[in-house]
Each structure stands twice: as C-alpha cells, then as structure tokens.
Amino acid sequence: MVGAFDVGAVPFNPDGWGPPDAAAAGNNNNNNLPVNVPFAPFSRSDKLGRIADWTRNFNNPTRPKNPADSAFDFTNDESFPANADDDASFRLVDGKPPPRPKFGPKWRFQQQRQLPQRRDEEVEAKKREAEKERARRDRLYHMNRSNPNAQRREAAVFKSSVDIQPEWNMHDQIPFSTFSKLSFSVPEPEDLLLCGALEYYDRSYDRITPKNERRLERFKNRNFFKITTTDDPVIRRLANEDKATVFATDTILSTLMCAPRSVYSWDIVVQRVGNKLFFDKRDGSQLDLLSVHETSQEPLPEAKDDINSAHSLSVEAAYINQNFSQQVLIRDGNKVTFDEPNPFANEGEEVASVAYRYRRWKLDDDMYLVARCEVQSVVELNKQRSFLTLNALNEFDPKYSGVDWRQKLETQRGAVLATELKNNANKLAKWTAQALLASADMMKLGYVSRIHPRDHFNHVILAVVGYKPRDFAAQINLNTSNMWGIVKSIVDLCMKLNEGKYVLVKDPSKPQVRIYEVPADAFENDYVEEPLPEDEQVQPPAEGADGVDAAATTNDVEDKQIDDQA
C-alpha cells in the first residue's frame, strides 16, 4: 500500500488569527512551512481572490506599469526586499490576447454595427426566404382557425359582387359556421336527358412534363355557352312537365355546396314561381369567371389594370380553362353524340366539346331537384366509356405562391398540389363538386403557366394529372353529405318565402350569406335598355356581357383584347 500523505503539524495561535508570530519570524527550515514560500501578510479588509484572477490582461502596452498588477504581489513583504523589482517583470505564460482573424464577421462584435461589404445573390435569397417564412408564421399565429368570424386576410378589402340597393329588404342572414354542421344524404340521381357531343381525350397529354412542354393553343371559332337556368330551353321543358320542384345548374350548385370555402363575394338570383324554385345567375356574373389565389394569404394587387389583379387573373384563368379543355382532345371529327344536339347552338355553328347531363335528385318525398351538369370529354378504356371533366390550374408568377412549377412539378408534384389547394381551395372544391354532380369517372387537371411572368397572353402546358372525383374529394376534405346538407337547408329556407324574386349574396368581408327580396325587374333594366357594345365587353363582369342571344364567352372577350393590343 502507498503510504499516507503527511500533512505536517499545524501550529496553534492562541493570540489571534493566522500563524503565530514565532513561526512567521522563524527560519524557513521549520517543518510547519513549505520550503522557500514566503508568507504574504494581509488584513481582513483586503479583497480575497486576487491571486487567482487570471482574466485580467497585465500585458497591455498602453496601460501604465503598476507593481500591484503583478499576479503575486510581495512588494510589502519584508522577507524579500531585494526581489520586489523582479516581481514587476513577472509575466504569465499565456497572457497574450487571442489573435484577431483577418477574415471574419468582426462587425458583429463592434458597437457600431457595419453591414458587410459583400452581399451576393445567395445571401439575399436566403434573407428573402427567411422573411417570407417569418411573415407566414406571423399570419398563421394571428389567424385563429377556431374562430370562423375572424377575417382571413386583413390587408385585402373586397367589394360586394352586386350593389345592394336601399329598397331591398333583407330576409335572413346565415353564417357559414352553421353550414359545417349540416348533413343530408341523397339517393343516386337519374339521368333525364343527355345533349351535345363529346370528342375523345388525347392520352398523349398525360406524358407531358416541364421539359417537353406544349404551347397552349387558341380556339377562336369554338363557342362556349354559359346559359343560366331559366334561359335553358330543356329546363323550361322539364319544368312544364313537372319533372321537379327545384332547378339549377352545376355551377350554381357547386357555388352553394362550397360556400364555406369562399372568400370573394358572389350572388345567386332565386325566383319562386308557384311551387317551383329556380336558381339563376345574373348576366355578367362572377360565377362565369374563375377565381385565382382566392384563399391565399398573400393579397393580390388592387389596381384593376394590373395583370396580376384578381379581376385580370379571373379573366385569364377562364380563357386558359376553355382553351385547355379543347386542346387536349383528338380533333379528328370522331365524336360521341347523344339523344339531342347542343340545345344552345345554332345550325352549322362550331361548338366546344361538351355534353349536358340533365339529372334529377330526390330531396324529399315530394321535392325533386333537376340540374344541368357538364362533362367535357370521353375516353374508352377496356371497351368501357368513361366521362371526363377538364380543368386547368394556372401559374402567373412564382413569387406569389413561392413554388416554381417548372422546377417542382417533376420532383415534388405533391408540394405543388398542396400549394394550389391552399391558395385555390374554393376553386378546386367547386371543380370536384361539379365532377361529382356529373358522375364523371375522371377529372383531369392541367398545369398551365405563363411563358414569362409579365406576359399574360401566351401560355404553355407543363403537365396533366388525372384524379378520381371521389378520391380527390376525400383528399381535400370535401364531404358529400355536407354539400347536400347546405343545398337542402337553402332550398328549405327559400321554399318558405313568398312568390317573388330574391338574391343570395355572400358578404364581401364576413363569412356569411344574406337573402334580399328584390323587385321583379331587378338585374334586367340595365341589360335591356342599355346593352353594352361589343368593344366594351372586354371588361367582365359587366351587365349584359353574357346574355343568351349574344352568347358571349370569356374566350372571345380575351381574344378581342389580344387583337386590340396587337
């Protein structure tokens, strides 16, 4: 075993604190003291810890020399009077300050903060991304999802889709929060009539990628019809035959079904005639256009003449959607015809590929609903015919969405779709609802982008993706029972009203709808007395820009605008 360490004898001082005077004055050979280590006397008022202060810089050349700065201060000790000067020359082994780096962010530690001289593009891009992410987190923090009455966008101020006149009488006000609790199941619908003709879908468009994009063509000679309910001759005939009590179109029904997802204002005209109910849209209504970035948190420019304003993008989106639906077809003259031709086309007129399915749903024991539903194409798989709906999403400027389709569509298609679902939740839900109403077997979504962000006339198709409507509805959390519950509640509410004309208006700033009673000639005087000339129809929505006789379309409107600028 190793011997124990001998601490030595500690002398006892009966006269005070510290070692006895005899030991201090004795020689250094005393066993009680370590060899050659002097005793530094101090009083109780002295600050302790000085001998262990290694943080002070004693080698600063700009500081005057002071013997007291020595780590071991023995200047007052009489035991070493001759070595006092030597102590002043004592230096720590590593007392030099650390060297300053020649290249480094030294500006961070200076009181006067200076920006670095070099700012390359990568640093700027990272800062922009960080700022965008911070702004997004702030918006999510301030947006209380549990409170349906909270405004979703504070910066944007929306206008009502229709001017509320002072003589209109408001009957009811329905908040969207009540819609979420509704549920109603309807049996399978029955087809009363099929009209029109369909062209076959060109399956080569399924193989399009951003690397082999295709230019979006223009179809100026094909006519698209946006006829409202009461102007539809087939619906008039079915109403005279008492086939149903409620009449509407798939566009109007999908607007009602997806009302809780809407942000922009919209309006639907309701006419109670006898025991029948007709849901109509106004001439030049916003329902004919497609909203863009409606549910986005990034507000669009408010200037109406800006190509990225909400109005300009709606016209552009409708123009893209119509042209896309005709380009992806096999245009070889081979068509699938149905019971009756297109009810809105004149003799020898070239019309777009579309089939109208007049379908009937049972809402109650003595209440039926008839709606005109549309499909745009047909495809044969394993000798079985499948109906398709064709719609196009459009990219106008990647900086608004934060996702560049040309870079992400091939590798991160799910991220692109998730961004579109966030920014265009209402539009995608309405397309899905229309596909479900028409019992389409497949819905094709095209990704169409501008050739250049500042060119809103020329576009390219980057990809086409197909989805089954029911699967896609489940993916976007679209509940069929809830959709029909909303329609059933509004129908029941309107059935309690007296005969007359009413308008259902989505509040521009609050998540709610209001029902107003309007005069019988409302929305008609301006159109009859002062029809808009064709030159002014480039600015929808305008009163009378989409009448039955004129059959004006958004595509023709956009083409006229292009020709004028050319």
Side-chain angles (χ1 to χ4, degrees), residues 33 47 71 112 162 169 201 258 274 323 328 432 446:
L33 294 177
K47 292 183 179 180
Q112 296 179 351
V162 62
N169 182 23
Y201 174 73
C258 306
N323 286 328
V328 296
T432 309

Side-chain angles (χ1 to χ4, degrees), residues 386-506:
S386 300
F387 292 121
L388 306 179
T389 60
L390 304 173
N391 295 290
L393 295 164
N394 62 301
E395 180 189 45
F396 57 98
D397 197 338
K399 76 176 184 180
Y400 281 93
S401 62
V403 178
D404 191 344
W405 287 5
R406 286 173 172 81
Q407 297 179 2
K408 302 290 186 181
L409 262 178
E410 278 192 293
T411 58
Q412 299 179 0
R413 182 171 292 173
V416 175
L417 180 60
T419 305
E420 289 302 304
L421 287 172
K422 181 185 71 172
N423 295 335
N424 298 286
N426 188 36
K427 179 169 67 175
L428 282 163
K430 287 166 68 174
W431 286 346
T432 309
Q434 291 172 16
L436 291 172
L437 288 172
S439 292
D441 301 286
M442 185 73 69
M443 51 185 296
K444 293 285 185 179
L445 289 182
Y447 291 88
V448 180
S449 177
R450 292 177 181 174
I451 291 182
H452 187 274
R454 300 303 300 174
D455 180 7
H456 63 297
F457 292 130
N458 300 300
H459 304 82
V460 289
I461 303 174
L462 300 178
V464 180
V465 187
Y467 300 95
K468 292 184 177 179
R470 292 195 177 275
D471 296 344
F472 194 73
Q475 183 177 347
I476 66 175
N477 198 23
L478 191 65
N479 191 335
T480 309
S481 299
N482 178 248
M483 288 161 38
W484 281 108
I486 295 173
V487 172
K488 181 69 164 59
S489 66
I490 293 178
V491 167
D492 291 342
L493 185 64
C494 295
M495 277 297 186
K496 297 176 184 177
L497 301 173
N498 298 325
E499 284 195 47
K501 197 171 189 179
Y502 304 86
V503 62
L504 194 69
V505 182
K506 155 72 171 68

Side-chain angles (χ1 to χ4, degrees), residues 4-50:
F5 178 72
D6 186 12
V7 179
V10 179
F12 175 70
N13 186 3
D15 298 328
W17 183 76
D21 295 337
N27 56 18
N28 289 337
N29 293 330
N30 194 328
N31 294 330
N32 294 332
L33 294 177
V35 181
N36 298 329
V37 176
F39 169 67
F42 54 89
S43 62
R44 296 187 181 185
S45 62
D46 291 342
K47 292 183 179 180
L48 301 182
R50 171 81 178 279

Side-chain angles (χ1 to χ4, degrees), residues 35 63 93 117 134 161 197 213 234 238 258 267 293 300 303 414 496 504:
V35 181
R63 196 161 171 262
V93 176
Q117 295 297 322
R134 185 195 63 78
S161 61
E213 59 191 27
V234 177
L238 295 175
C258 306
D267 59 274
H293 267 226
L300 297 173
K496 297 176 184 177
L504 194 69

Side-chain angles (χ1 to χ4, degrees), residues 522-539:
F523 315 122
E524 296 177 1
N525 287 344
D526 294 341
Y527 177 68
V528 175
E529 296 177 5
E530 299 179 5
L532 288 176
E534 290 186 0
D535 295 340
E536 296 183 13
Q537 291 182 6
V538 298
Q539 296 291 341

